Amino acid sequence: MSNLRVVFMGTPDFAVPCLDKLMADNYNVIAVVTQPDRPKGRGQKLAESPVKQAALSYGLPVLQPAKVKEAAFQAELSLLKPDIIIVVAFGQLLPKSILDLPLLGCINVHASLLPLYRGAAPIHWSVIKGDKITGVTTMYMDIGMDTGDMILKEEVSIGETETTGDIHDKLKCVGANVLSETIKLIAGNKAPRTAQNHASATYASMLNRELERIKWQASALDIHNLVRGLNPWPGAYCCYQGKNLKTWRTRVYPSDEVVTHPGRITKITADGFVVEAGQGMLEVLEIQPDSKRRMSASDFTCGYGLRVGDILE
């Protein structure tokens, strides 16, 4: 089994435990493919992807094609003669010419219970939607967007206060173990192959600035789910006195008061402040004013003179 010639394709932190697991299982990883170095931070210095850093620490060859459709890259990949290609959050769609290259196929680790949340941001959307359960699915890749036949799944619970960052960290560890079991089954010619029910598919679209803005007319629970769904990136925001206010932590505040003006602050609490939503009340616990560090909502209340009756937009 360890003689399988494995090519690993991945880019962000989420993919690193899968590469680590392949190495721990003593697979013959013959190359790692990741996105090109990108400018990062205030100095805009070129930064290596987390997967590249991990690959170099293992002394593995690294390929960084700008486009996987480039003929030169495909020729280089073909010369490697991989038996299997493992793809984890790589960041580019693979053309059929690459999908057909390895004898055992291209295997993807996807951060959802397919066919739910196909696409770019499955973890964000599962939290934003208030799901109680998410998970990881391994599948045989085909030319569609996350449409391939499924191999294994494992469920993970989502707690009421857990953020996308929390679930991301859970899933990347679970994904590595599911991948390990998947490869064992494939190598032993025992892997199940289950077609997805395409009629039940949902899509996790790209996040955008409009989604990130808090609409106070929504219910307190929906806003709470949005806030934790966009934590730690990119963050939900509202406006206070004409300036953006990132909102990082909230909780639904028990109240029987009748909502009259969504966005109005109704109470200052020991931990922050309470805001009217379209349905129910939301207590804000952690925020970040423009160009400032994150701070507790109670510190913000004191420092910025927030009062009952003030309006968040």
Side-chain angles (χ1 to χ4, degrees):
M1 184 165 60
S2 60
N3 291 328
L4 286 179
R5 295 176 61 79
V6 179
V7 168
F8 184 84
M9 303 179 76
T11 299
D13 176 62
F14 183 83
V16 172
C18 286
L19 178 58
D20 290 339
K21 187 63 175 170
L22 291 175
M23 300 304 292
D25 288 348
N26 293 316
Y27 283 104
N28 179 23
V29 180
I30 55 175
V32 171
V33 185
T34 190
Q35 296 277 18
D37 298 352
R38 307 286 192 201
K40 186 177 182 181
R42 291 185 176 179
Q44 291 292 284
K45 292 184 179 178
L46 288 178
E48 299 169 341
S49 75
V51 164
K52 180 179 178 181
Q53 294 174 21
L56 293 177
S57 74
Y58 290 119
L60 298 172
V62 175
L63 307 177
Q64 295 181 275
K67 302 287 184 185
V68 291
K69 293 182 179 178
E70 293 172 353
F73 168 71
Q74 293 194 38
E76 190 173 13
L77 191 62
S78 180
L79 287 174
L80 292 172
K81 300 185 184 305
D83 295 310
I84 191 168
I85 295 178
I86 306 300
V87 183
V88 187
F90 173 59
Q92 295 185 42
L93 287 175
L94 303 189
K96 191 172 186 303
S97 53
I98 292 179
L99 296 175
D100 291 342
L101 183 62
L103 181 64
L104 299 178
C106 293
I107 307 303
N108 179 238
V109 178
H110 188 74
S112 82
L113 297 173
L114 291 171
L116 302 178
Y117 301 118
R118 294 172 176 173
I123 303 176
H124 286 86
W125 279 105
S126 63
V127 178
I128 290 170
K129 293 292 187 182
D131 293 347
K132 305 299 183 188
I133 298 290
T134 184
V136 167
T137 306
T138 52
M139 66 173 175
Y140 292 99
M141 297 177 70
D142 62 16
I143 58 173
M145 172 70 82
D146 303 325
T147 55
D149 292 346
M150 300 177 293
I151 306 168
L152 295 180
K153 287 184 180 181
E154 184 163 332
E155 293 184 351
V156 169
S157 63
I158 302 177
E160 293 180 357
T161 62
E162 287 187 307
T163 66
T164 285
D166 297 327
I167 304 307
H168 170 279
D169 290 348
K170 280 186 180 180
L171 292 181
K172 70 179 183 181
C173 297
V174 171
N177 291 329
V178 176
L179 173 63
S180 178
E181 186 63 25
T182 296
I183 299 177
K184 290 176 186 174
L185 291 172
I186 291 173
N189 198 29
K190 297 178 180 177
R193 186 163 193 145
T194 307
Q196 296 188 40
N197 180 353
H198 302 298
S200 300
T202 60
Y203 290 87
S205 60
M206 298 284 285
L207 307 177
N208 58 56
R209 191 67 175 160
E210 177 59 23
L211 170 75
E212 295 161 21
R213 180 155 190 165
I214 294 172
K215 283 84 173 175
W216 292 105
Q217 293 76 17
S219 74
L221 180 58
D222 285 347
I223 297 172
H224 173 64
N225 290 338
L226 177 73
V227 168
R228 63 194 183 98
L230 297 180
N231 184 354
W233 181 88
Y237 75 98
C238 60
C239 290
Y240 175 63
Q241 295 183 343
K243 294 185 177 179
N244 290 344
L245 196 61
K246 288 256 183 160
T247 305
W248 292 112
R249 280 197 310 121
T250 60
R251 63 186 169 209
V252 175
Y253 188 80
S255 173
D256 295 328
E257 292 181 46
V258 176
V259 173
T260 58
H261 194 144
R264 186 173 67 95
I265 295 170
T266 63
K267 191 185 299 289
I268 306 297
T269 65
D271 296 324
F273 53 88
V274 177
V275 188
E276 290 187 44
Q279 181 180 348
M281 303 279 176
L282 189 76
E283 186 174 14
V284 178
L285 304 173
E286 184 181 14
I287 56 178
Q288 183 177 15
D290 268 348
S291 305
K292 302 290 184 181
R293 60 174 175 80
R294 289 191 187 195
M295 63 180 71
S296 69
S298 58
D299 284 348
F300 177 81
T301 300
C302 295
Y304 286 75
L306 201 72
R307 298 178 180 178
V308 170
D310 284 354
I311 302 296
L312 301 180
E313 297 177 339

